[in-house]
Amino acid sequence: MIWPAAARAQLSVTSPVSLNINTPTLFQNGTQLAITNHVVYTTPLLAALWTLRVRSQSTTLTGPGGATIPIAQTKVQVTSLTSNGTPQSGTYPEITLSTADQDLQASGLNLALVATLRYSIRYTLLGGVDLLKPAGTYAATLTYTLANLIGLGTVTNTTSLQVNITNQAAIVVNNPTATLSFTQASHYQLGRQLVHTNALQAFSNIPYSISVRAATDLMNGANSIAAGNVQVTPALAAPASGVSVSGVSLSTANQTIITSTVPTLQQLFNLTYSTTAGNTAFLNKPAGAYSTTLTYTITAP
């Protein structure tokens, strides 16, 4: 629509809209951003029914190397509206962004002769596997439209929606203590085994590896047993593609036990601690607790 020179409407939208994903919790749960007076509309027209709409110009937010996040990961909702400084009551649905125009008001608004509308808007970015992308800025262009419901025209403007991802990796040891007890002859003869289910929990938005090392040999005062007499073997707690595991005999050097060629949101691993049958390293030792500290490290290059 072409507005008369004395009655030209203006729509302004602050830009960019930046949502930051920089902790494992935000990758998992998502984030929100509320912007006060995000969309401002000024018109000197006579009273008429108007509504605010929004759409994305693409189905995805596009980032480095062509990686994408679905635009449907983002929801938009008007949190408040004022007309000439007066709060306006109404129903403001939360919509999931798409390439189709969607109303952010449940009904049209009658404007006064001269009106300035100020919309405060909340953006919600959903968490989950769709955010497991390499670091960078992922962007899409949104078009806001003030549309007249009785055919008097529309006015539009755009903003850049940006999701800024920072590479993150984290590991949680859910079972911090593992004890192998030798209390009868069969334990020495057959070896010992201890299985911790869901012992490790790994997160990374890019491929990663997990290693383990012992701080020292197994020590009991001045007495010791070489750490290599204990094996640690990981296993997937649930099936997952792109993840491989391998057991090792403990060492004071880092040894890789898990390799993932894909990012994982909350991958769980079981850990088995064991000794071999008939291992004489455990014989002729004073009774007592022989211990060391194990360190698990996640590396995401």
Side-chain angles (χ1 to χ4, degrees), residues 26-293:
L26 292 176
F27 277 95
Q28 293 164 0
N29 300 329
T31 188
Q32 289 187 333
L33 176 66
I35 305 177
T36 302
N37 299 333
H38 180 43
V39 178
V40 178
Y41 174 65
T42 304
T43 177
L45 290 181
L46 294 173
L49 284 172
W50 294 86
T51 189
L52 181 66
R53 295 170 178 162
V54 66
R55 67 178 177 87
S56 173
Q57 294 185 11
S58 59
T59 58
T60 61
L61 298 107
T62 302
T68 60
I69 298 171
I71 197 65
Q73 284 290 114
T74 309
K75 295 178 179 291
V76 180
Q77 185 175 27
V78 172
T79 57
S80 67
L81 167 62
T82 64
S83 175
N84 292 338
T86 302
Q88 302 294 305
S89 61
T91 300
Y92 307 114
E94 184 178 52
I95 61 98
T96 298
L97 280 175
S98 73
T99 55
D101 272 315
Q102 298 182 77
D103 287 345
L104 291 170
Q105 297 169 242
S107 60
L109 179 71
N110 277 302
L111 304 185
L113 179 61
V114 178
T116 297
L117 302 181
R118 299 182 185 276
Y119 291 86
S120 296
I121 291 179
R122 180 176 60 237
Y123 292 84
T124 300
L125 180 66
L126 303 179
V129 295
D130 284 321
L131 296 186
L132 295 180
K133 306 295 180 181
T137 297
Y138 294 74
T141 299
L142 307 184
T143 298
Y144 279 90
T145 300
L146 240 298
N148 184 264
L149 300 181
I150 57 175
L152 295 183
T154 61
V155 59
T156 66
N157 208 336
T158 62
T159 188
S160 176
L161 174 63
Q162 299 180 356
V163 175
N164 302 309
I165 287 181
T166 303
N167 286 339
Q168 295 286 309
I171 188 171
V172 177
V173 180
N174 292 319
N175 302 87
T177 303
T179 301
L180 296 170
S181 297
F182 291 77
T183 59
Q184 56 192 51
S186 63
H187 295 163
Y188 296 91
Q189 296 164 351
L190 303 177
R192 299 293 283 146
Q193 178 175 288
L194 173 68
V195 178
H196 278 171
T197 58
N198 299 331
L200 288 181
Q201 180 177 306
F203 163 83
S204 179
N205 66 301
I206 57 176
Y208 63 92
S209 62
I210 296 175
S211 61
V212 63
R213 68 175 178 85
T216 63
D217 286 330
L218 298 160
M219 303 301 297
N220 176 18
N223 301 297
S224 66
I225 300 171
N229 290 289
V230 176
Q231 290 75 47
V232 177
T233 305
L236 287 162
S241 60
V243 183
S244 59
V245 298
S246 58
V248 298
S249 296
L250 286 174
S251 166
T252 54
N254 273 314
Q255 299 181 87
T256 299
I257 58 173
I258 297 168
T259 301
S260 179
T261 60
V262 296
T264 57
L265 190 66
Q266 197 173 23
Q267 184 63 54
L268 290 171
F269 298 91
N270 303 330
L271 289 177
T272 299
Y273 299 89
S274 62
T275 65
T276 57
N279 189 335
T280 59
F282 297 97
L283 300 177
N284 297 317
K285 298 291 181 180
Y290 291 74
S291 63
T292 187
T293 298

